[in-house]
Amino acid sequence: MSDNGASSIPPQTFVECGICKGNANISWFCKNCPTSLCDACATTHRTTKQYKTHTIVERTYTVLRLFGPAKIAEQCEVHPEKDISSYCNECDVPCCISCLVQNHQRHEMSTIEDKYLDAEKRLNVYYKQLDTDVRPTVDKMEDQAKEDVKEDNITVEKVINDINKFRKDFIQNFNRSCDDLITGVNQISKKTIEAFGEIEKSKKTIESLKKEIEEKIERGKLDIIKYQPPKLDSLIPTIERHKQADISFEPSMKMLEVMKESVGEIKSRKIEREEMDRSLRSVHVQKLHSFDSKIGVTSLTTAGNNMAWVMYFRSPTMYLYNDKGTVVRSVTVGGGEGINDMVITQSGEMIVTCTDKKVRCVSVSGKVSTRIDTAPFVCYGVSVTDKQEIVVCMGNQGDKVHVAVYSSDGRSKLREIRGRDGQGKHLITYPYRVVQNGQDLCVVNGESNVVCVDERDNVRWVYDGKQAKLKGSFDPSGICVDKYNNLLVTDMNNDCVHYIDREGGLIQVILTQEQTGLLFHWGICVDDVTGHVWVGNIVNKVATAKYLR
């Protein structure tokens, strides 16, 4: 076998041409279509204008490099001196000739070449489905979204203009009404000023009469006998007084409500909240499937496509299961005593917390590296924020326990979360699991409650399970968030899941033992695409179910 292992695979091994369907001289592979090609069709493919940009390679390269997770010439892990030559279908592992003799006699076997070819065919079908099924649907959604955006922009502009026009008219009318009130008040004030004028006039008349009388008496003439001054009551001005209440201002107690009604409201075509409310009124658990896992289930992480990763804190290996209970893949995180939790980033990397106080990264290619050393703290739950920050639960250090937020590369600790209440007391005493919900972090805190904190580490709410009124004490273990930003929290002591809204209120107790057949609920995750929830326990049981109609 050559260094790249190509010489061990005949180019024409039971494969047909993707164009002419013949099986002679299948030596080529188009990476764009993708499909296997015979010599004649490969020549036609290269010269046809429609396919000139396609990349055509030898099939030996395709089998070894394009689809296979490893080289065929890779050495056996159990017998490093031997090359892998076969694949045990029952044990789902590659084998060398020594493995065949020692551990896999009478097992159903395949050649390693056939397994690669099977994988190639399977991926060919999947690849074509991406173009024939998935991509057209996504493109149609994109076109519709563009039309919606265009239509929304026109509608929004019109609505904003209407609102501004209404605001202008409303303010003008409001100002006019206020001006009328002020004018009325000023009229009342004007009457008071006029009254002062009448009083001042009477005072001057009185002084003038006094002076006139003094002069007449002083001169002592007889005309004083016939002098008749004005009547006294005529000197007192007539003033219509008003009560103080007449000039008081008493605004309506319902002014704000009236203003709100007069302003109106905007109704959106996108009624997600109404849809969510209808869904919440239709919580109904429908068990789909259950199966035995290879390990206990202390943590579950959805991988999409009806698959989820299963982890157990005493095992260094995690298994990817489909919803029928079949192992699709396994990953062993070397160096760790066991895996506590795992999260998948936007780029497809796995961030894994291990019991040896290390946070490791498993790349898309399967390479394992240490991302964060959390010593002296033990690292438990892990999450990734929408900013791609890594959030890790730290425990086993007395009053120093906290939730640490790291940069995406793990090189710097950005902040510590301890859950500060209104009195400055730290409520996070034993962080075990953590998820992001909007801009908040929700932490499973020991065996007692769930604490929700905002970006400034202020406690927004605490859920202690008392709303559920169950017989046993609340023992939260696993937590996840669904597409409605509601939380699902496993309760190991009561064999159920608490479905909690974004404000920490209980919606309903679901996924009970009667509904799932499980005891001691621990790990949990939700596939937002399918709406299916996965629940597992420590005794190697997993159940899948739907919980929203």
Side-chain angles (χ1 to χ4, degrees):
M1 186 179 289
S2 63
D3 290 342
N4 64 6
S7 62
S8 67
I9 301 178
Q12 302 88 12
T13 306
F14 305 108
V15 179
E16 66 178 19
C17 175
I19 296 179
C20 70
K21 305 303 180 182
N23 56 10
N25 299 324
I26 312 300
S27 306
W28 307 95
F29 186 87
C30 178
K31 294 172 69 175
N32 299 85
C33 288
T35 189
S36 299
L37 302 170
C38 64
D39 291 344
C41 290
T43 301
T44 303
H45 213 64
R46 290 191 183 95
T47 56
T48 302
K49 183 177 180 180
Q50 181 181 356
Y51 305 114
K52 276 189 176 182
T53 59
H54 286 202
T55 302
I56 298 176
V57 298
E58 293 184 50
R59 287 201 73 261
T60 52
Y61 174 88
T62 303
V63 173
L64 289 176
R65 302 291 187 184
L66 188 58
F67 294 109
K71 299 179 183 178
I72 292 181
E74 186 175 349
Q75 280 71 40
C76 177
E77 291 185 1
V78 181
H79 307 93
E81 72 280 2
K82 305 280 185 164
D83 285 347
I84 292 173
S85 60
S86 305
Y87 199 93
C88 179
N89 294 321
E90 293 187 22
C91 301
D92 198 23
V93 293
C95 309
C96 69
I97 189 66
S98 297
C99 291
L100 284 175
V101 176
Q102 295 176 7
N103 302 316
H104 304 278
Q105 292 185 14
R106 299 181 182 177
H107 287 192
E108 181 186 345
M109 307 296 295
S110 298
T111 65
I112 196 69
E113 291 86 358
D114 284 344
K115 291 298 289 187
Y116 273 103
L117 292 173
D118 288 343
E120 178 182 349
K121 290 179 181 178
R122 174 171 52 82
L123 291 176
N124 278 341
V125 173
Y126 181 82
Y127 190 99
K128 289 179 179 179
Q129 287 176 335
L130 290 177
D131 272 340
T132 59
D133 299 336
V134 179
R135 184 56 185 267
T137 301
V138 174
D139 288 343
K140 185 177 180 181
M141 293 172 65
E142 181 184 24
D143 293 340
Q144 184 60 53
K146 289 179 179 178
E147 287 297 320
D148 288 345
V149 168
K150 183 178 178 181
E151 184 179 339
D152 285 349
N153 286 340
I154 296 173
T155 303
V156 167
E157 183 177 358
K158 180 180 181 303
V159 171
I160 291 176
N161 289 335
D162 290 343
I163 292 172
N164 284 330
K165 181 178 182 303
F166 177 83
R167 175 166 56 185
K168 182 179 179 180
D169 294 341
F170 184 88
I171 291 174
Q172 287 178 347
N173 291 330
F174 183 77
N175 287 340
R176 189 178 299 114
S177 297
C178 290
D179 289 342
D180 290 343
L181 290 175
I182 293 172
T183 300
V185 174
N186 285 334
Q187 288 293 335
I188 295 174
S189 178
K190 182 179 179 181
K191 291 180 180 179
T192 302
I193 294 173
E194 290 175 352
F196 272 108
E198 292 296 324
I199 292 171
E200 188 65 28
K201 181 179 178 181
S202 293
K203 288 170 65 177
K204 289 182 178 179
T205 300
I206 292 169
E207 292 301 321
S208 176
L209 283 172
K210 286 171 63 179
K211 185 177 180 182
E212 182 179 350
I213 292 171
E214 288 175 355
E215 290 177 349
K216 286 182 177 295
I217 292 173
E218 184 177 351
R219 287 200 303 267
K221 293 184 178 182
L222 293 176
D223 60 352
I224 191 173
I225 298 173
K226 296 181 179 182
Y227 174 68
Q228 294 293 331
K231 294 182 179 180
L232 292 176
D233 56 1
S234 68
L235 300 177
I236 300 176
T238 302
I239 298 175
E240 183 182 349
R241 298 193 60 196
H242 54 264
K243 298 180 180 180
Q244 187 64 33
D246 292 339
I247 56 171
S248 64
F249 176 60
E250 297 180 0
S252 171
M253 298 300 293
K254 295 184 178 181
M255 184 173 61
L256 293 179
E257 287 80 2
V258 172
M259 289 181 64
K260 182 178 179 181
E261 290 178 3
S262 62
V263 169
E265 62 182 60
I266 295 297
K267 294 183 179 179
S268 171
R269 292 194 306 267
K270 303 172 182 62
I271 51 174
E272 287 186 3
R273 182 69 208 185
E274 293 181 11
E275 177 188 347
M276 186 193 78
D277 291 339
R278 286 196 298 271
S279 297
L280 296 186
R281 291 193 293 270
S282 303
V283 173
H284 175 73
V285 174
Q286 176 188 358
K287 182 179 178 181
L288 300 176
H289 193 67
S290 62
F291 57 87
D292 294 334
S293 64
K294 290 179 177 290
I295 54 178
V297 188
T298 55
S299 182
L300 278 164
T301 300
T302 181
N305 297 320
N306 292 319
M307 294 186 291
W309 286 95
V310 173
M311 287 143 280
Y312 180 56
F313 64 87
R314 294 177 182 171
S315 172
T317 302
M318 50 189 176
Y319 297 89
L320 179 63
Y321 281 90
N322 62 24
D323 59 351
K324 302 303 180 185
T326 303
V327 175
V328 179
R329 183 186 172 195
S330 64
V331 172
T332 299
V333 181
E337 300 172 3
I339 295 171
N340 276 328
D341 198 12
M342 183 266 279
V343 65
I344 301 175
T345 68
Q346 289 181 353
S347 61
E349 293 180 329
M350 301 178 187
I351 305 299
V352 184
T353 55
C354 302
T355 53
D356 64 347
K357 304 175 183 178
K358 298 289 193 302
V359 178
R360 292 182 169 84
C361 174
V362 181
S363 68
V364 177
S365 63
K367 182 180 178 181
V368 180
S369 60
T370 298
R371 181 67 60 91
I372 304 169
D373 186 342
T374 63
F377 296 96
V378 176
C379 49
Y380 293 115
V382 63
S383 181
V384 173
T385 69
D386 52 10
K387 299 177 183 178
Q388 296 304 293
E389 299 167 336
I390 302 173
V391 185
V392 185
C393 293
M394 306 287 201
N396 285 9
Q397 285 294 312
D399 61 355
K400 295 182 180 179
V401 298
H402 61 279
V403 177
V405 181
Y406 293 89
S407 58
S408 59
D409 57 10
R411 294 180 181 177
S412 59
K413 182 188 287 189
L414 305 178
R415 60 188 183 277
E416 294 184 356
I417 303 297
R418 301 189 182 207
R420 186 176 62 249
D421 67 6
Q423 287 71 44
K425 181 181 178 181
H426 293 154
L427 299 188
I428 296 178
T429 56
Y430 189 172
Y432 178 67
R433 290 285 184 263
V434 60
V435 292
Q436 186 184 32
N437 193 12
Q439 297 304 312
D440 300 329
L441 290 177
C442 298
V443 182
V444 172
N445 188 39
E447 301 174 350
S448 59
N449 55 35
V450 176
V451 178
C452 177
V453 298
D454 61 18
E455 291 182 294
R456 297 183 178 180
D457 195 25
N458 297 314
V459 173
R460 291 196 62 242
W461 52 260
V462 177
Y463 179 81
D464 58 9
K466 293 180 181 178
Q467 298 177 42
K469 298 181 181 179
L470 300 173
K471 292 182 179 180
S473 59
F474 183 47
D475 187 1
S477 302
I479 188 171
C480 63
V481 181
D482 67 12
K483 63 181 179 180
Y484 297 120
N485 292 108
N486 296 317
L487 299 162
L488 292 95
V489 182
T490 56
D491 184 349
M492 191 164 60
N493 199 35
N494 292 288
D495 307 321
C496 65
V497 171
H498 296 240
Y499 192 36
I500 306 169
D501 66 28
R502 68 190 74 183
E503 300 301 327
L506 176 68
I507 298 172
Q508 192 171 326
V509 172
I510 61 174
L511 299 164
T512 62
Q513 178 191 354
E514 291 76 13
Q515 294 169 335
T516 62
L518 294 186
L519 290 170
F520 314 122
H521 297 47
W522 199 316
I524 189 169
C525 67
V526 170
D527 187 333
D528 282 340
V529 176
T530 63
H532 296 172
V533 59
W534 296 58
V535 185
N537 64 17
I538 200 169
V539 289
N540 303 36
K541 298 286 185 181
V542 177
T544 62
K546 289 186 67 175
Y547 68 104
L548 291 179
R549 288 175 179 168

